[in-house]
Amino acid sequence: MTTLTLVRGDITRQSVDAIVNAANSSLLGGGGVDGAIHRRGGPAILAECRALRASRYGKGLPTGQAVATTAGDLDARWVIHTVGPVYQGAGSDPSPLASCHRKSLRVADELGARTVAFPAISAGAYGWPVEDVARIAVETVRDTETAVEEVRFVLFDERAFAAFAGQVHRLRHGGESPLPPGSP
Ligand code: AR6
């Protein structure tokens, strides 16, 4: 049974087995969560990202995939880097965003991580409406088989926190799912 928890705050201050990074496909850093993770985690993370670019991911990490590195100086064992999709407007395909959550949990299982913190992937620079991100994230985690015991969504601002809280409430109180069964 995976417990979903919501925290308003900075993901780099969390104490968990794995912290998920909303990266870009270069794996070489950026702004937002990515910038904060590299700043606080120190150079060991970037060194492993560079090694990944020099080996398995010569062309970069594709959208919707996930890969782990050390967490450096963060209070975690691993950072799981995943690349969210860029919002293309109404009707954007949610499946790559669902895939980020599914693949991150799969990597967590391979590592043996039991507590995993997620940010609101794609809800910042990549432009997805946070309500959509919250729905896709919460439903995907609910529908994914995993040995992870706690998935903690760490939301930076009040609006994101409220969007995630609304989705968790809807799930717990049996609201209609806007997605048909089996969709991403
Ligand atoms: N802790 C938790 N959430 C945060 C933090 C933090 N320290 N900082 C920002 N957020 P974004 P994306 C929230 O832009 O949309 C980067 O440059 C933020 O308010 O970090 O997936 C990468 O390198 C928002 O709700 O990720 C990529 O190029 C959410 O985290 C690109 O941005 C995600 O915002 C990825 O864009």
Side-chain angles (χ1 to χ4, degrees):
M1 206 30 205
T2 308
T3 303
L4 275 183
T5 55
L6 304 182
V7 168
R8 182 159 173 210
D10 180 345
I11 201 165
T12 67
R13 301 285 187 176
Q14 302 299 308
S15 231
V16 281
D17 292 334
I19 292 177
V20 176
N21 181 19
N24 61 63
S25 103
S26 81
L27 291 175
L28 301 178
V33 181
D34 197 8
I37 283 175
H38 282 283
R39 261 194 314 278
R40 192 169 294 277
I45 301 175
L46 188 58
E48 281 195 27
C49 287
R50 286 193 201 284
L52 285 167
R53 285 300 308 277
S55 55
R56 259 170 88 189
Y57 294 110
K59 292 185 176 151
L61 181 66
T63 302
Q65 302 291 315
V67 67
T69 65
T70 174
D73 301 330
L74 295 170
D75 191 8
R77 293 176 69 186
W78 303 282
V79 170
I80 299 173
H81 306 265
T82 189
V83 182
V86 176
Y87 190 57
Q88 309 287 348
S92 288
D93 178 10
S95 52
L97 188 52
S99 173
C100 286
H101 294 83
R102 237 184 348 259
K103 296 281 174 68
S104 295
L105 290 173
R106 183 184 299 171
V107 170
D109 283 339
E110 287 163 4
L111 296 165
R114 293 292 178 260
T115 52
V116 180
F118 279 86
I121 299 165
S122 286
Y126 282 180
W128 280 71
V130 73
E131 290 75 16
D132 289 355
V133 170
R135 177 176 46 78
I136 295 160
V138 168
E139 289 188 350
T140 304
V141 169
R142 177 201 59 186
D143 294 343
T144 301
E145 246 341 285
T146 173
V148 170
E149 289 162 7
E150 181 192 354
V151 167
R152 188 182 306 170
F153 288 108
V154 182
L155 295 323
F156 211 42
D157 55 67
E158 187 51 44
R159 178 150 180 227
F161 184 86
F164 276 74
Q167 289 301 321
V168 169
H169 183 273
R170 193 175 62 81
L171 282 193
R172 292 196 177 139
H173 297 87
E176 264 306 291
S177 167
L179 290 177
S183 61

